[in-house]
Amino acid sequence: MSGHGVPRGPEAPAAAPTRPAVLGRRAVLAGAAGLALGGSACGTAPPRNAMGSAPPSPAGLPRPAAWRPGPSDVRPDVKLRAVQLIEALGTWRDGAGGVAKARERVAALGLPPALAGQAGPLLSGADAAVVEVTDAQYGGILAGSASVLVICRQWTRTGGGPVVAGGTTVDVRLAEGAPRWSVGELHPAAPGPAAATLPEEARRVLDEDRIRLPVAAEADIRGGGVHASVLRAMLRLAERYRIDVSVVRSGHPLNVFGTGRPSDHPPGRAFDVWRIDGRAVVGRSTPRALVEAFMRDAAAAGSYNVGGPLLPSGAGAGPQFFTDDTHHDHVHVGFGS
């Protein structure tokens, strides 16, 4: 049984105790321009958690606001712990680059300095860099362990050269500790190279303004390893909704968290959505009817496994739907073939 007392779907993690009551290439470029002027990275629909005091930014780079969890998040302290690590790893001033300095920034958070060696693309030879976290969603949350998928953009600058936009998704693995949770491992996304040719559905998804893809998810699609059923479902849902995708293949745990069952994400048979029509799935003010309609439409688009923060009610609420703490902040849309 899941944390909400319903049968677990294939992507539902092991049971946890019930608790009381991004962007594609076009969006990245637009975000860089907006942030350089001190504005939101997402135009008229700013990221849900882009609030708080902006961290210091190297001269000439954007000044993104620090990410903060929302009031409806499950264990917001866990998400914040993961995000602060990624922000610290991916942001540095002139002269503070390299692994040694990154180790110092990690140690200042009270975390193992060796984590700097697992930062992957967040560390580079650039003179200065700044990270903005677009969203942080659970890859899994159990009683004493968690996976937080931190979706971020990064801007770097070397010498007097131009600002270069990039980004990644990092699977941050945490364990409960005192006084705060600790981080044990980092698993940055590794999408692989772009394919020489792409099917029509992939090209259409990349060109669709109503589908917003973060850097790693866009690279997944450009790599050609995303199943046609996923691409067709994205396009069908985009006819009715504006969707912000968080994860497709890379950056997601290989197994359903807390189990030995393979996840549908790494083979390219699933995608997650964290925002629908500009409304965060986890947002307290987001209408239940909107999320429920989206989940039903995802099933109608062919998904055998739709997880989210609620169970659709009434006729047609079949076994393909599930809910648990992990999926309180996004809608999972999975395909068996």
Side-chain angles (χ1 to χ4, degrees):
M1 302 296 287
S2 79
H4 289 256
V6 298
R8 295 199 308 273
E11 287 292 330
T18 302
R19 297 173 175 83
V22 49
L23 303 180
R25 177 181 57 85
R26 299 181 303 277
V28 168
L29 294 176
L35 284 168
L37 298 175
S40 161
C42 295
T44 58
R48 164 175 69 90
N49 291 318
M51 61 181 73
S53 300
S57 292
L61 293 178
R63 292 182 173 271
W67 187 94
R68 292 291 183 268
S72 297
D73 268 309
V74 169
R75 294 303 308 261
D77 56 315
V78 176
K79 284 192 174 183
L80 186 59
R81 189 73 161 145
V83 166
Q84 288 176 335
L85 172 60
I86 298 306
E87 289 175 336
L89 281 170
T91 300
W92 64 87
R93 293 180 175 276
D94 286 327
V99 175
K101 291 292 186 180
R103 289 173 61 92
E104 294 178 8
R105 297 194 296 274
V106 174
L109 295 174
L111 291 170
L115 290 169
Q118 302 176 25
L122 283 174
L123 295 183
S124 68
D127 290 339
V130 64
V131 149
E132 180 197 43
V133 172
T134 303
D135 190 48
Q137 77 167 50
Y138 280 120
I141 176 69
L142 302 177
S145 61
S147 159
V148 178
L149 311 184
V150 182
I151 298 100
C152 63
R153 294 176 289 183
Q154 186 182 45
W155 293 268
T156 59
R157 193 200 70 244
T158 300
V163 172
V164 178
T168 190
T169 296
V170 184
D171 175 8
V172 182
R173 299 296 180 92
L174 302 99
E176 189 172 20
R180 293 178 292 177
W181 282 48
S182 185
V183 178
E185 297 178 345
L186 301 179
H187 299 277
T197 59
L198 288 175
E200 179 186 358
E201 293 97 336
R203 296 195 301 270
R204 288 177 58 198
V205 167
L206 292 169
D207 290 339
E208 177 54 68
D209 290 335
R210 292 170 65 83
I211 301 172
R212 293 164 64 92
L213 298 166
V215 173
E218 180 175 326
D220 289 337
I221 294 173
R222 292 192 183 279
V226 178
H227 199 276
S229 58
V230 168
L231 301 170
R232 288 194 294 264
M234 284 185 181
L235 291 167
R236 180 168 171 178
L237 289 166
E239 294 174 1
R240 182 171 179 181
Y241 308 95
R242 288 178 291 111
I243 59 176
D244 284 72
V245 173
S246 49
V247 179
V248 180
R249 293 182 66 243
S250 58
H252 192 280
L254 296 179
N255 291 331
V256 177
F257 191 74
T259 80
R261 302 194 309 271
S263 168
D264 285 333
H265 281 277
R269 296 199 310 269
F271 66 100
D272 291 344
V273 172
W274 74 275
R275 194 163 55 180
I276 306 165
D277 287 343
R279 310 293 291 268
V281 170
V282 76
R284 182 173 292 174
S285 63
T286 299
R288 174 188 173 100
L290 174 64
V291 178
E292 182 172 341
F294 183 85
M295 292 177 69
R296 287 182 181 276
D297 286 341
S303 175
Y304 84 111
N305 188 218
V306 182
L310 55 87
L311 284 178
S313 58
Q320 72 268 46
F321 298 107
F322 70 94
T323 185
D324 54 32
D325 280 352
T326 294
H327 295 83
H328 81 285
D329 58 8
H330 66 280
V331 174
H332 166 85
V333 185
F335 296 83
S337 61

